[in-house]
Amino acid sequence: MSDAHRRPKTPEATRQALLDAGVRLALAEGLAALALPAVSAEAAVTKGAVFHHFGSRQGLVEAVAAEILARIDAEFQAALAKDAGGHGVLTRAYLYCIFHPASPHSPWAAPSLRSLADTALAGLWRDWIAAQMAAHADTDSDTALVAARLAADGYWMSRVFGSVPVPPGPDALFAHLLARTRKDAP
């Protein structure tokens, strides 16, 4: 009898291991490249376990996309909670997440954000950001704040695609954009 038959069955742990493996692979290579053999090997389970927990590759892709967005939201909510609130609260949290992701494996880390180009996640991202904007319309609709968020988007895109470095550096750009989120900013 193999070790697989003697191991205690822990369906939730197996499902989470598959999700974690799928997230790691999707953030590294994109959702479109998510392959069942790679996910099962990364999670150290059989390919049958993927089908058992997610039904199909599409089910896995959808679950991984939702998990990535949940992780994005968790980091964003943590950044919001650290802020004093008021004018620009959403924008400051957004800037903080883009310039200071929680870890190199964070879904906010620049290489990971390329996964947002995947159709499965792009729609979720669009809906998530629209919900955030609606929830913070009273504090973050100012044109200067929109411009700061768009500049932050440009920064992470330049990191994703390896384009021109940001002079004088990301810390200076972050400080400049952050200063623009204050109500009395020029």
Side-chain angles (χ1 to χ4, degrees):
M1 192 180 295
S2 74
D3 286 345
H5 295 289
R6 286 184 258 184
R7 280 187 291 181
K9 303 274 188 213
T10 54
E12 281 309 308
T14 300
R15 186 177 193 289
Q16 191 59 52
L18 286 163
L19 269 178
D20 291 343
V23 167
R24 280 191 302 276
L25 292 171
L27 292 179
E29 301 169 25
L31 285 167
L34 208 57
L36 299 181
V39 172
S40 61
E42 178 81 11
V45 299
T46 66
K47 197 163 87 170
V50 179
F51 288 107
H52 173 75
H53 288 282
F54 301 102
S56 65
R57 179 187 178 279
Q58 185 59 33
L60 174 66
V61 167
E62 290 171 6
V64 167
E67 180 69 14
I68 290 170
L69 191 62
R71 293 178 186 192
I72 284 172
D73 187 60
E75 284 188 40
F76 183 74
Q77 295 304 322
L80 277 175
K82 291 178 186 173
D83 194 273
H87 180 80
V89 63
L90 173 136
T91 303
R92 285 188 297 279
Y94 191 75
L95 293 172
Y96 185 80
C97 288
I98 287 178
F99 282 88
H100 301 100
S103 77
H105 306 290
S106 162
W108 285 96
S112 301
L113 285 171
R114 81 172 134 242
S115 64
L116 293 178
D118 284 308
T119 307
L121 193 53
L124 292 174
W125 171 261
R126 185 182 55 250
D127 293 346
W128 178 83
I129 201 72
Q132 298 306 314
M133 289 305 305
H136 297 278
D138 57 329
T139 61
D140 283 81
S141 294
D142 183 280
T143 304
L145 298 173
V146 173
R149 290 190 305 275
L150 290 173
D153 290 347
Y155 165 73
W156 71 251
M157 236 198 298
S158 74
R159 289 187 56 213
V160 167
F161 298 112
S163 40
V164 182
V166 179
D171 290 339
L173 179 59
F174 172 71
H176 174 77
L177 292 174
L178 193 62
R180 309 289 284 165
T181 68
R182 305 296 175 201
K183 198 163 189 82
D184 58 347

